[in-house]
Amino acid sequence: MEPGVAIVGAGHTRFGALTEGPRALLAEAAREALAGIDRGLPRGAAVDEAFLATLGFGGWQIGNASAVLAESAGMVGVPVTRIENACASGGYAIRAAAQAIRSGRVRVALVAGVEKMTDTPSARRRYWLGVSGDTEWERSAGLTFAGVYGMIASRYAHERPRTREALTAVAVKNHANGARNPKAHLRKAVRAEEVEAAPPVADPLRLFDCCPVTDGAAALVLADASIARRCTDTPVWIGGIGAASDVLAVQERPTLLEFPATRRAAAAAYADAGWGPESVDVLEVHDCFTIAELLALEDLGIAPRGGGAIDLTLSGATGPGGERPVNPDGGLKAKGHPIGTTGVSQLYELFLQLRAAAGNRQVPGAERALAHNVGGSGASATVTLVERG
Amino acid sequence: MEPGVAIVGAGHTRFGALTEGPRALLAEAAREALAGIDRGLPRGAAVDEAFLATLGFGGWQIGNASAVLAESAGMVGVPVTRIENACASGGYAIRAAAQAIRSGRVRVALVAGVEKMTDTPSARRRYWLGVSGDTEWERSAGLTFAGVYGMIASRYAHERPRTREALTAVAVKNHANGARNPKAHLRKAVRAEEVEAAPPVADPLRLFDCCPVTDGAAALVLADASIARRCTDTPVWIGGIGAASDVLAVQERPTLLEFPATRRAAAAAYADAGWGPESVDVLEVHDCFTIAELLALEDLGIAPRGGGAIDLTLSGATGPGGERPVNPDGGLKAKGHPIGTTGVSQLYELFLQLRAAAGNRQVPGAERALAHNVGGSGASATVTLVERG
């Protein structure tokens, strides 16, 4: 048996348009994650390995940013690997950390994500918002990510009734959740009428269908079973992780209505954990646009394909108090989506949820949870399953 | 015991100013690595996981380039992680692949490195050549990598006699080696007088002290022990790997005359392998500038600190037929240094050397070898030890 892997500490800056730069944000998140370990690391144990998830938005340190994490977290010397898989960087970094611990060579690993998006001038910001799309065919033709997800939403709406209603319900729910999360960027509830009357961004997606441009960092401390049991009574175990790739350009896929990378990653994660979608009590899914939450619920096997996500969403099951709460922290939609940070931030929330420490957004009795992280328009994806000890 | 990890296949494009783009280069290297496995992968085995090492020089695909490897290598669906640790991306990617296999979750992994540097216009090329240096203090003050290594060489020469002579010997040796490597970029022997009369780049470094700007890709197939033994009679085992970080800016280090990241990475690798520098038959070290080869020999424990590398180099021990051949493929200096590719290319050479397949540059009887890969000016480093079965 390989050693089990647990999350034993987690840190998170507030999300928003912040004055701090990447170094300060990383320092804050890493410090909070390490300081928050209930009994601290046992004598003789220390962080053996670290992973930095970042796109490096705006070009603050295009090469070798891993060294900045070593400096910011006060662990110069420790091996640090920068992992970049676009918006799925965080999920892939957590998976790399789990593999490192499962290798038996590493006992404690730090995973940190950071992105500083708001201080990039507007022309450059548009450039950086597109760099994870297919450069050869899509970006050069002017297709943005809002454009890609707008096309997906159009096709979804064409095939399935009540799509607009469900998109609006996702926006209203995630904004209401974000309003309860003190670390969220958009702490503002919105009404359905506001969502549907908002300015269009990429038809049929409107302003409140799109995640904001956000700064922030998050960090996790992962440890092997022996360390984990010594430093806390409530470790959150990584039950399984799956990841997958896909072609970069959506035009090369047979359908717009699913992300095969999510489906493959989920299958791998469920197989790794030995339990399936029916056991999941709470989910963090990658809702960069409202349509993405609907796709995710179907690709993850939470709702039946072919529109099941519409029924599930409109039934209220994905809201607070529902059977399958989704994005209790507000999701990318309202909490914000600092690219490399997102996958790590999702596990921060699930760490709180499984330790019954999520305050007024707590999902009662949550024991098993799922995080779903997507890179770009589905060229990479991870699914991470966590469970209470 | 964790499973052993072996290299079972390796591929390498020619290096130089090439017409192909990153996709074609990756496809060629990956195809050669997979096709070169002696008996092929056993029935039921396939690449489970892949890693892409690239800085993404010139911005060809700043985000999500991992999907391009999946497409180019014909393995869409397989999880692909992009790893970027500047010039040490390749070494870190190999280490991540070894950790994945040691985790027991992955049996076969592909590691590929690629960089396309020559088709970037000259102003942008200067920008991209600097992006792995400290942005906050060094780049903004106009310090280039040639400048950093020039300062190091100046200090080294100030403290140690015959430095210029040794730098020249490194250049002459590595160019002679490169001339014997059909895949090298600069296949041109140079004479000592030419080296010392060449135009200055960053005093005391002159033209032939500096590596060229090069395109190219390389790939390795790693497998666990059970697969490795079934697909070849001559696997090359990864005996140990170490990695380390350091502060990004050289101004923050106590001395210019060593790279602590190399020293820490070497100590970790020797401990992992259970053998030390005295056992190494052949080395690939990170000679982005001639001075870097001298530093490396001391930091790796091959030569005594305080100038031992000068004596070793001037004795001829690091040349062909010497006791400790270094960079038989020409090194970064003459083979070329396509940034993310370099760490992978080093193991390609050692794979050939340990299988006695290196043709007219073969080190006779090589059984144990070392690869040393540095990111930027020493902010990250890896040391990989390989051995014959």
Side-chain angles (χ1 to χ4, degrees), chain B residues 35-235:
Chain B
I37 301 172
D38 295 339
R39 293 187 285 270
L41 291 175
R43 180 188 292 266
V47 173
D48 302 314
E49 182 98 23
F51 297 88
L52 174 63
T54 187
L55 180 67
F57 194 95
W60 61 275
Q61 182 68 52
I62 288 183
N64 245 340
S66 57
V68 174
L69 175 59
E71 295 179 21
S72 304
M75 46 186 69
V76 169
V78 166
V80 187
T81 304
R82 177 198 167 205
I83 287 183
E84 181 284 307
N85 271 34
C87 316
S89 299
Y92 267 89
I94 292 166
R95 185 161 173 274
Q99 282 180 334
I101 292 173
R102 284 169 166 176
S103 80
R105 293 294 205 285
V106 169
R107 305 189 68 189
V108 180
L110 177 78
V111 182
V114 71
E115 218 70 68
K116 176 69 185 171
M117 301 177 71
T118 64
D119 65 354
T120 303
S122 123
R124 285 185 68 207
R125 186 188 292 185
R126 278 195 296 275
Y127 171 79
W128 277 92
L129 283 173
V131 296
S132 303
D134 182 86
T135 298
E136 213 167 12
W137 297 103
E138 296 183 341
R139 289 175 63 206
S140 54
L143 188 59
T144 63
F145 278 116
V148 168
Y149 282 91
M151 290 193 312
I152 293 172
S154 286
R155 184 73 208 178
Y156 199 92
H158 176 75
E159 299 206 4
R160 297 165 189 179
R162 304 182 76 189
T163 295
R164 178 66 258 176
E165 209 179 323
L167 297 177
T168 298
V170 170
V172 168
K173 166 180 73 71
N174 290 354
H175 270 275
N177 287 348
R180 278 191 297 274
N181 180 356
K183 302 210 167 174
H185 187 177
L186 305 178
R187 302 193 59 196
K188 168 190 159 65
V190 294
R191 287 175 297 109
E193 309 83 76
E194 290 176 280
V195 173
E196 295 185 2
V201 173
D203 187 63
L205 301 178
R206 294 172 172 270
L207 185 63
F208 294 114
D209 292 302
C210 308
C211 66
V213 167
T214 298
D215 306 326
L220 302 171
V221 181
L222 273 60
D224 69 19
S226 148
I227 300 268
R229 292 189 197 283
R230 283 150 72 196
C231 62
T232 177
D233 296 326
T234 51

Side-chain angles (χ1 to χ4, degrees), chain A residues 22-315:
Chain A
R23 285 175 185 266
L25 294 171
L26 283 172
E28 180 185 336
R31 192 167 46 235
E32 185 185 327
L34 287 160
I37 301 171
D38 294 339
R39 293 188 284 271
L41 291 175
R43 180 189 291 265
V47 173
D48 302 314
E49 182 100 24
F51 297 87
L52 173 63
T54 186
L55 180 67
F57 194 95
W60 63 275
Q61 182 69 52
I62 288 184
N64 246 340
S66 57
V68 174
L69 175 59
E71 294 179 21
S72 303
M75 46 186 69
V76 168
V78 166
V80 187
T81 303
R82 177 200 167 202
I83 288 182
E84 181 284 308
N85 272 33
C87 316
S89 299
Y92 266 90
I94 293 166
R95 185 160 171 275
Q99 282 181 334
I101 292 173
R102 284 169 166 176
S103 80
R105 292 295 204 286
V106 169
R107 305 190 69 189
V108 181
L110 177 78
V111 182
V114 72
E115 218 70 68
K116 177 69 186 172
M117 301 177 71
T118 65
D119 65 352
T120 304
S122 125
R124 284 185 70 207
R125 187 188 291 185
R126 278 195 295 276
Y127 170 79
W128 278 91
L129 283 173
V131 297
S132 303
D134 181 88
T135 297
E136 213 166 14
W137 297 104
E138 295 184 340
R139 289 176 63 206
S140 54
L143 187 60
T144 63
F145 278 115
V148 168
Y149 281 91
M151 290 195 311
I152 293 171
S154 287
R155 183 72 208 178
Y156 199 92
H158 175 76
E159 299 207 3
R160 297 164 189 178
R162 304 183 74 190
T163 295
R164 178 66 258 175
E165 209 179 322
L167 296 177
T168 299
V170 170
V172 169
K173 168 181 72 70
N174 290 354
H175 270 274
N177 287 348
R180 278 190 297 274
N181 180 357
K183 302 211 168 175
H185 186 176
L186 305 178
R187 302 193 59 196
K188 169 190 159 67
V190 295
R191 288 174 295 108
E193 309 83 73
E194 291 174 281
V195 173
E196 295 184 2
V201 173
D203 187 65
L205 301 178
R206 294 172 171 270
L207 185 63
F208 294 113
D209 291 301
C210 308
C211 66
V213 167
T214 298
D215 307 326
L220 302 171
V221 181
L222 273 60
D224 69 20
S226 148
I227 300 268
R229 291 190 198 284
R230 284 149 72 196
C231 63
T232 177
D233 296 326
T234 51
V236 169
W237 298 97
I238 294 187
I241 312 192
S245 64
D246 197 0
V247 292
L248 197 50
V250 288
Q251 64 166 17
E252 298 187 12
R253 300 194 198 141
T255 168
L256 290 174
L257 297 183
E258 62 178 78
F259 281 169
T262 296
R263 299 172 64 82
R264 290 189 196 105
Y270 293 136
D272 195 16
W275 46 269
E278 64 289 347
S279 301
V280 177
D281 297 317
V282 52
L283 295 88
E284 287 281 308
V285 309
H286 196 92
D287 61 327
C288 45
F289 299 90
T290 48
I291 181 66
E293 180 163 319
L294 300 183
L295 286 195
L297 294 175
E298 299 182 14
D299 286 334
L300 295 166
I302 299 294
R305 296 185 65 183
I310 293 178
D311 299 334
L312 193 73
T313 299
L314 294 177
S315 78

